[in-house]
Amino acid sequence: MGLVSEKPEVRVPRLVGLMAEDAYDTARVRGLSLQAPDRPDLRHAVVDHVVRQYPQPGAQVPPESTVYVWFDFREGEGEGGGGIREPRVPRPPLGGLRRELAEPGEPPARRVVHSVSLP
């Protein structure tokens, strides 16, 4: 006969996007502990945001399990570190500074300046 846990398993909450303090509190309420390999001083990383976690949200784990969170994307860890690369569509509206610049291939805009003589 195998060992059967008396406590039901706990569902891991989504911690990605939360600030460190909120992630810590969310894990603690569920009976989980939180560790951050890239922040040994986790309690001092109050305003840093979680960018990755293990186990993934929704996983069933035994009570008092440890959830690992990371606050920085590091090169070589599979997540990349190049930041957000979103397309800039639609383009910014015409006008403002854009109006002052010539588009590639267009001749520069010419302006006529009138001189005014003061009495």
Side-chain angles (χ1 to χ4, degrees), residues 102-116:
E103 292 294 323
E106 288 183 7
R110 297 183 190 243
R111 292 188 166 200
V112 177
V113 179
H114 299 281
S115 63
V116 176

Side-chain angles (χ1 to χ4, degrees), residues 51-52 56 70 72-82 85:
V51 296
R52 193 168 40 130
Q56 296 296 319
W70 289 265
D72 287 329
F73 284 123
R74 301 273 184 199
E75 290 293 333
E77 290 187 9
E79 296 290 340
R85 294 186 180 112

Side-chain angles (χ1 to χ4, degrees), residues 29-98:
V29 166
R30 301 266 179 118
L32 302 169
S33 65
L34 202 63
Q35 284 198 0
D38 65 341
R39 292 286 197 293
D41 56 341
L42 177 62
R43 296 302 289 168
H44 297 289
V46 178
V47 295
D48 292 347
H49 288 81
V50 175
V51 296
R52 193 168 40 130
Q53 77 178 69
Y54 180 82
Q56 296 296 319
Q60 298 282 353
V61 296
E64 300 172 10
S65 292
T66 300
V67 176
Y68 295 91
V69 295
W70 289 265
F71 295 96
D72 287 329
F73 284 123
R74 301 273 184 199
E75 290 293 333
E77 290 187 9
E79 296 290 340
I84 298 171
R85 294 186 180 112
E86 61 186 38
R88 298 286 298 181
V89 177
R91 295 181 71 173
L94 297 175
L97 293 177
R98 182 174 172 78

